[in-house]
PDB file of all heavy atoms in Angstrom:
ATOM      1  N   GLU A  42     -41.300  -7.843   2.437  1.00 48.00           N
ATOM      2  CA  GLU A  42     -40.785  -6.860   3.438  1.00 48.00           C
ATOM      3  C   GLU A  42     -40.003  -5.727   2.963  1.00 48.00           C
ATOM      4  O   GLU A  42     -39.779  -4.754   3.600  1.00 48.00           O
ATOM      5  CB  GLU A  42     -39.981  -7.731   4.461  1.00 48.00           C
ATOM      6  CG  GLU A  42     -40.890  -8.527   5.475  1.00 48.00           C
ATOM      7  CD  GLU A  42     -40.181  -9.545   6.233  1.00 48.00           C
ATOM      8  OE1 GLU A  42     -38.910  -9.606   6.103  1.00 48.00           O
ATOM      9  OE2 GLU A  42     -40.793 -10.235   6.996  1.00 48.00           O
ATOM     10  N   GLN A  43     -39.489  -5.921   1.724  1.00 51.00           N
ATOM     11  CA  GLN A  43     -38.687  -4.852   1.167  1.00 51.00           C
ATOM     12  C   GLN A  43     -39.443  -3.537   1.062  1.00 51.00           C
ATOM     13  O   GLN A  43     -40.613  -3.484   0.727  1.00 51.00           O
ATOM     14  CB  GLN A  43     -38.247  -5.247  -0.238  1.00 51.00           C
ATOM     15  CG  GLN A  43     -36.791  -5.227  -0.496  1.00 51.00           C
ATOM     16  CD  GLN A  43     -36.433  -5.820  -1.795  1.00 51.00           C
ATOM     17  OE1 GLN A  43     -37.227  -5.740  -2.814  1.00 51.00           O
ATOM     18  NE2 GLN A  43     -35.314  -6.427  -1.897  1.00 51.00           N
ATOM     19  N   GLU A  44     -38.753  -2.484   1.421  1.00 54.00           N
ATOM     20  CA  GLU A  44     -39.403  -1.191   1.414  1.00 54.00           C
ATOM     21  C   GLU A  44     -39.778  -0.742  -0.012  1.00 54.00           C
ATOM     22  O   GLU A  44     -39.054  -0.973  -0.948  1.00 54.00           O
ATOM     23  CB  GLU A  44     -38.488  -0.078   2.001  1.00 54.00           C
ATOM     24  CG  GLU A  44     -39.172   0.827   2.838  1.00 54.00           C
ATOM     25  CD  GLU A  44     -38.222   1.814   3.484  1.00 54.00           C
ATOM     26  OE1 GLU A  44     -37.429   1.350   4.360  1.00 54.00           O
ATOM     27  OE2 GLU A  44     -38.212   2.955   3.129  1.00 54.00           O
ATOM     28  N   ARG A  45     -40.997  -0.266  -0.130  1.00 63.00           N
ATOM     29  CA  ARG A  45     -41.475   0.180  -1.487  1.00 63.00           C
ATOM     30  C   ARG A  45     -40.733   1.423  -1.912  1.00 63.00           C
ATOM     31  O   ARG A  45     -40.606   2.388  -1.147  1.00 63.00           O
ATOM     32  CB  ARG A  45     -42.963   0.449  -1.471  1.00 63.00           C
ATOM     33  CG  ARG A  45     -43.785  -0.788  -1.626  1.00 63.00           C
ATOM     34  CD  ARG A  45     -44.002  -1.112  -2.979  1.00 63.00           C
ATOM     35  NE  ARG A  45     -44.509  -2.494  -3.167  1.00 63.00           N
ATOM     36  CZ  ARG A  45     -45.835  -2.801  -3.178  1.00 63.00           C
ATOM     37  NH1 ARG A  45     -46.688  -1.820  -2.998  1.00 63.00           N
ATOM     38  NH2 ARG A  45     -46.240  -4.025  -3.240  1.00 63.00           N
ATOM     39  N   PHE A  46     -40.270   1.405  -3.135  1.00 71.00           N
ATOM     40  CA  PHE A  46     -39.564   2.541  -3.748  1.00 71.00           C
ATOM     41  C   PHE A  46     -40.706   3.586  -3.967  1.00 71.00           C
ATOM     42  O   PHE A  46     -41.703   3.302  -4.711  1.00 71.00           O
ATOM     43  CB  PHE A  46     -38.903   1.986  -4.921  1.00 71.00           C
ATOM     44  CG  PHE A  46     -38.474   2.884  -6.059  1.00 71.00           C
ATOM     45  CD1 PHE A  46     -37.544   2.332  -6.907  1.00 71.00           C
ATOM     46  CD2 PHE A  46     -38.930   4.101  -6.264  1.00 71.00           C
ATOM     47  CE1 PHE A  46     -37.136   3.089  -7.976  1.00 71.00           C
ATOM     48  CE2 PHE A  46     -38.525   4.867  -7.329  1.00 71.00           C
ATOM     49  CZ  PHE A  46     -37.595   4.278  -8.228  1.00 71.00           C
ATOM     50  N   VAL A  47     -40.488   4.784  -3.496  1.00 83.00           N
ATOM     51  CA  VAL A  47     -41.572   5.854  -3.664  1.00 83.00           C
ATOM     52  C   VAL A  47     -41.083   6.793  -4.792  1.00 83.00           C
ATOM     53  O   VAL A  47     -39.939   7.265  -4.783  1.00 83.00           O
ATOM     54  CB  VAL A  47     -41.753   6.610  -2.372  1.00 83.00           C
ATOM     55  CG1 VAL A  47     -42.839   7.645  -2.540  1.00 83.00           C
ATOM     56  CG2 VAL A  47     -42.174   5.602  -1.261  1.00 83.00           C
ATOM     57  N   ILE A  48     -42.008   7.071  -5.684  1.00 91.00           N
ATOM     58  CA  ILE A  48     -41.702   8.046  -6.773  1.00 91.00           C
ATOM     59  C   ILE A  48     -41.616   9.410  -6.154  1.00 91.00           C
ATOM     60  O   ILE A  48     -42.549   9.868  -5.533  1.00 91.00           O
ATOM     61  CB  ILE A  48     -42.798   8.032  -7.816  1.00 91.00           C
ATOM     62  CG1 ILE A  48     -43.022   6.663  -8.481  1.00 91.00           C
ATOM     63  CG2 ILE A  48     -42.667   9.150  -8.885  1.00 91.00           C
ATOM     64  CD1 ILE A  48     -41.923   6.281  -9.485  1.00 91.00           C
ATOM     65  N   PRO A  49     -40.451  10.044  -6.320  1.00 94.00           N
ATOM     66  CA  PRO A  49     -40.277  11.388  -5.669  1.00 94.00           C
ATOM     67  C   PRO A  49     -41.172  12.472  -6.432  1.00 94.00           C
ATOM     68  O   PRO A  49     -41.538  12.283  -7.563  1.00 94.00           O
ATOM     69  CB  PRO A  49     -38.790  11.727  -5.933  1.00 94.00           C
ATOM     70  CG  PRO A  49     -38.404  10.879  -7.122  1.00 94.00           C
ATOM     71  CD  PRO A  49     -39.300   9.674  -7.136  1.00 94.00           C
TER      72      PRO A  49
END
Side-chain angles (χ1 to χ4, degrees):
E42 282 167 3
Q43 234 171 30
E44 220 175 290
R45 279 276 167 87
F46 159 163
V47 180
I48 299 285

